[in-house]
mmCIF file with all atom_site columns, all heavy atoms in Angstrom:
data_model
loop_
_atom_site.group_PDB
_atom_site.id
_atom_site.type_symbol
_atom_site.label_atom_id
_atom_site.label_alt_id
_atom_site.label_comp_id
_atom_site.label_asym_id
_atom_site.label_entity_id
_atom_site.label_seq_id
_atom_site.pdbx_PDB_ins_code
_atom_site.Cartn_x
_atom_site.Cartn_y
_atom_site.Cartn_z
_atom_site.occupancy
_atom_site.B_iso_or_equiv
_atom_site.pdbx_formal_charge
_atom_site.auth_seq_id
_atom_site.auth_comp_id
_atom_site.auth_asym_id
_atom_site.auth_atom_id
_atom_site.pdbx_PDB_model_num
ATOM 1  N N   . LEU A 1 187 ? -27.793 -9.379  27.327 1.00 0.00 ? 187 LEU A N   1
ATOM 2  C CA  . LEU A 1 187 ? -26.350 -9.351  27.096 1.00 0.00 ? 187 LEU A CA  1
ATOM 3  C C   . LEU A 1 187 ? -25.579 -9.900  28.285 1.00 0.00 ? 187 LEU A C   1
ATOM 4  O O   . LEU A 1 187 ? -24.462 -10.363 28.161 1.00 0.00 ? 187 LEU A O   1
ATOM 5  C CB  . LEU A 1 187 ? -25.890 -7.913  26.825 1.00 0.00 ? 187 LEU A CB  1
ATOM 6  C CG  . LEU A 1 187 ? -26.566 -7.189  25.657 1.00 0.00 ? 187 LEU A CG  1
ATOM 7  C CD1 . LEU A 1 187 ? -26.059 -5.761  25.579 1.00 0.00 ? 187 LEU A CD1 1
ATOM 8  C CD2 . LEU A 1 187 ? -26.319 -7.902  24.347 1.00 0.00 ? 187 LEU A CD2 1
ATOM 9  N N   . GLY A 1 188 ? -26.212 -9.819  29.456 1.00 0.00 ? 188 GLY A N   1
ATOM 10 C CA  . GLY A 1 188 ? -25.536 -10.301 30.657 1.00 0.00 ? 188 GLY A CA  1
ATOM 11 C C   . GLY A 1 188 ? -26.320 -9.887  31.893 1.00 0.00 ? 188 GLY A C   1
ATOM 12 O O   . GLY A 1 188 ? -27.504 -9.560  31.798 1.00 0.00 ? 188 GLY A O   1
ATOM 13 N N   . VAL A 1 189 ? -25.635 -9.891  33.045 1.00 0.00 ? 189 VAL A N   1
ATOM 14 C CA  . VAL A 1 189 ? -26.315 -9.461  34.266 1.00 0.00 ? 189 VAL A CA  1
ATOM 15 C C   . VAL A 1 189 ? -25.446 -8.507  35.068 1.00 0.00 ? 189 VAL A C   1
ATOM 16 O O   . VAL A 1 189 ? -24.221 -8.561  34.998 1.00 0.00 ? 189 VAL A O   1
ATOM 17 C CB  . VAL A 1 189 ? -26.705 -10.657 35.181 1.00 0.00 ? 189 VAL A CB  1
ATOM 18 C CG1 . VAL A 1 189 ? -27.747 -11.535 34.506 1.00 0.00 ? 189 VAL A CG1 1
ATOM 19 C CG2 . VAL A 1 189 ? -25.486 -11.462 35.595 1.00 0.00 ? 189 VAL A CG2 1
ATOM 20 N N   . LEU A 1 190 ? -26.111 -7.622  35.796 1.00 0.00 ? 190 LEU A N   1
ATOM 21 C CA  . LEU A 1 190 ? -25.420 -6.723  36.703 1.00 0.00 ? 190 LEU A CA  1
ATOM 22 C C   . LEU A 1 190 ? -25.731 -7.229  38.115 1.00 0.00 ? 190 LEU A C   1
ATOM 23 O O   . LEU A 1 190 ? -26.898 -7.405  38.466 1.00 0.00 ? 190 LEU A O   1
ATOM 24 C CB  . LEU A 1 190 ? -25.944 -5.290  36.526 1.00 0.00 ? 190 LEU A CB  1
ATOM 25 C CG  . LEU A 1 190 ? -25.272 -4.226  37.395 1.00 0.00 ? 190 LEU A CG  1
ATOM 26 C CD1 . LEU A 1 190 ? -23.876 -3.933  36.865 1.00 0.00 ? 190 LEU A CD1 1
ATOM 27 C CD2 . LEU A 1 190 ? -26.111 -2.948  37.416 1.00 0.00 ? 190 LEU A CD2 1
ATOM 28 N N   . ILE A 1 191 ? -24.696 -7.502  38.878 1.00 0.00 ? 191 ILE A N   1
ATOM 29 C CA  . ILE A 1 191 ? -24.911 -7.987  40.242 1.00 0.00 ? 191 ILE A CA  1
ATOM 30 C C   . ILE A 1 191 ? -24.497 -6.886  41.216 1.00 0.00 ? 191 ILE A C   1
ATOM 31 O O   . ILE A 1 191 ? -23.343 -6.473  41.233 1.00 0.00 ? 191 ILE A O   1
ATOM 32 C CB  . ILE A 1 191 ? -24.084 -9.262  40.519 1.00 0.00 ? 191 ILE A CB  1
ATOM 33 C CG1 . ILE A 1 191 ? -24.427 -10.337 39.464 1.00 0.00 ? 191 ILE A CG1 1
ATOM 34 C CG2 . ILE A 1 191 ? -24.350 -9.788  41.925 1.00 0.00 ? 191 ILE A CG2 1
ATOM 35 C CD1 . ILE A 1 191 ? -23.403 -11.439 39.372 1.00 0.00 ? 191 ILE A CD1 1
ATOM 36 N N   . VAL A 1 192 ? -25.474 -6.411  41.957 1.00 0.00 ? 192 VAL A N   1
ATOM 37 C CA  . VAL A 1 192 ? -25.233 -5.315  42.889 1.00 0.00 ? 192 VAL A CA  1
ATOM 38 C C   . VAL A 1 192 ? -25.233 -5.893  44.306 1.00 0.00 ? 192 VAL A C   1
ATOM 39 O O   . VAL A 1 192 ? -26.172 -6.575  44.695 1.00 0.00 ? 192 VAL A O   1
ATOM 40 C CB  . VAL A 1 192 ? -26.353 -4.258  42.747 1.00 0.00 ? 192 VAL A CB  1
ATOM 41 C CG1 . VAL A 1 192 ? -26.250 -3.234  43.850 1.00 0.00 ? 192 VAL A CG1 1
ATOM 42 C CG2 . VAL A 1 192 ? -26.286 -3.612  41.382 1.00 0.00 ? 192 VAL A CG2 1
ATOM 43 N N   . CYS A 1 193 ? -24.167 -5.667  45.060 1.00 0.00 ? 193 CYS A N   1
ATOM 44 C CA  . CYS A 1 193 ? -24.080 -6.241  46.399 1.00 0.00 ? 193 CYS A CA  1
ATOM 45 C C   . CYS A 1 193 ? -24.139 -5.152  47.464 1.00 0.00 ? 193 CYS A C   1
ATOM 46 O O   . CYS A 1 193 ? -23.531 -4.093  47.317 1.00 0.00 ? 193 CYS A O   1
ATOM 47 C CB  . CYS A 1 193 ? -22.784 -7.025  46.564 1.00 0.00 ? 193 CYS A CB  1
ATOM 48 S SG  . CYS A 1 193 ? -22.662 -8.352  45.365 1.00 0.00 ? 193 CYS A SG  1
ATOM 49 N N   . LEU A 1 194 ? -24.889 -5.430  48.521 1.00 0.00 ? 194 LEU A N   1
ATOM 50 C CA  . LEU A 1 194 ? -25.042 -4.465  49.611 1.00 0.00 ? 194 LEU A CA  1
ATOM 51 C C   . LEU A 1 194 ? -24.485 -5.087  50.881 1.00 0.00 ? 194 LEU A C   1
ATOM 52 O O   . LEU A 1 194 ? -24.485 -6.304  51.036 1.00 0.00 ? 194 LEU A O   1
ATOM 53 C CB  . LEU A 1 194 ? -26.523 -4.136  49.813 1.00 0.00 ? 194 LEU A CB  1
ATOM 54 C CG  . LEU A 1 194 ? -27.316 -3.807  48.549 1.00 0.00 ? 194 LEU A CG  1
ATOM 55 C CD1 . LEU A 1 194 ? -28.799 -3.716  48.890 1.00 0.00 ? 194 LEU A CD1 1
ATOM 56 C CD2 . LEU A 1 194 ? -26.834 -2.495  47.941 1.00 0.00 ? 194 LEU A CD2 1
ATOM 57 N N   . ASP A 1 195 ? -24.059 -4.183  51.787 1.00 0.00 ? 195 ASP A N   1
ATOM 58 C CA  . ASP A 1 195 ? -23.541 -4.728  53.043 1.00 0.00 ? 195 ASP A CA  1
ATOM 59 C C   . ASP A 1 195 ? -24.602 -4.734  54.138 1.00 0.00 ? 195 ASP A C   1
ATOM 60 O O   . ASP A 1 195 ? -24.322 -4.853  55.310 1.00 0.00 ? 195 ASP A O   1
ATOM 61 C CB  . ASP A 1 195 ? -22.278 -3.989  53.488 1.00 0.00 ? 195 ASP A CB  1
ATOM 62 C CG  . ASP A 1 195 ? -22.506 -2.491  53.596 1.00 0.00 ? 195 ASP A CG  1
ATOM 63 O OD1 . ASP A 1 195 ? -23.663 -2.069  53.338 1.00 0.00 ? 195 ASP A OD1 1
ATOM 64 O OD2 . ASP A 1 195 ? -21.553 -1.771  53.908 1.00 0.00 ? 195 ASP A OD2 1
ATOM 65 N N   . LYS A 1 196 ? -25.864 -4.507  53.747 1.00 0.00 ? 196 LYS A N   1
ATOM 66 C CA  . LYS A 1 196 ? -26.930 -4.661  54.754 1.00 0.00 ? 196 LYS A CA  1
ATOM 67 C C   . LYS A 1 196 ? -27.995 -5.612  54.244 1.00 0.00 ? 196 LYS A C   1
ATOM 68 O O   . LYS A 1 196 ? -28.155 -5.798  53.031 1.00 0.00 ? 196 LYS A O   1
ATOM 69 C CB  . LYS A 1 196 ? -27.521 -3.309  55.149 1.00 0.00 ? 196 LYS A CB  1
ATOM 70 C CG  . LYS A 1 196 ? -27.814 -2.379  54.008 1.00 0.00 ? 196 LYS A CG  1
ATOM 71 C CD  . LYS A 1 196 ? -28.197 -1.009  54.540 1.00 0.00 ? 196 LYS A CD  1
ATOM 72 C CE  . LYS A 1 196 ? -27.912 0.080   53.543 1.00 0.00 ? 196 LYS A CE  1
ATOM 73 N NZ  . LYS A 1 196 ? -28.195 1.401   54.076 1.00 0.00 ? 196 LYS A NZ  1
ATOM 74 N N   . HIS A 1 197 ? -28.654 -6.168  55.209 1.00 0.00 ? 197 HIS A N   1
ATOM 75 C CA  . HIS A 1 197 ? -29.665 -7.157  54.902 1.00 0.00 ? 197 HIS A CA  1
ATOM 76 C C   . HIS A 1 197 ? -30.969 -6.452  54.585 1.00 0.00 ? 197 HIS A C   1
ATOM 77 O O   . HIS A 1 197 ? -31.492 -5.724  55.403 1.00 0.00 ? 197 HIS A O   1
ATOM 78 C CB  . HIS A 1 197 ? -29.837 -8.076  56.123 1.00 0.00 ? 197 HIS A CB  1
ATOM 79 C CG  . HIS A 1 197 ? -30.631 -9.289  55.829 1.00 0.00 ? 197 HIS A CG  1
ATOM 80 N ND1 . HIS A 1 197 ? -30.028 -10.486 55.487 1.00 0.00 ? 197 HIS A ND1 1
ATOM 81 C CD2 . HIS A 1 197 ? -31.970 -9.493  55.821 1.00 0.00 ? 197 HIS A CD2 1
ATOM 82 C CE1 . HIS A 1 197 ? -30.985 -11.386 55.275 1.00 0.00 ? 197 HIS A CE1 1
ATOM 83 N NE2 . HIS A 1 197 ? -32.172 -10.815 55.467 1.00 0.00 ? 197 HIS A NE2 1
#
Side-chain angles (χ1 to χ4, degrees):
Chain A
L187 303 177
V189 294
L190 182 74
I191 304 162
V192 171
C193 301
L194 312 171
D195 55 1
K196 45 188 155 184
H197 192 95

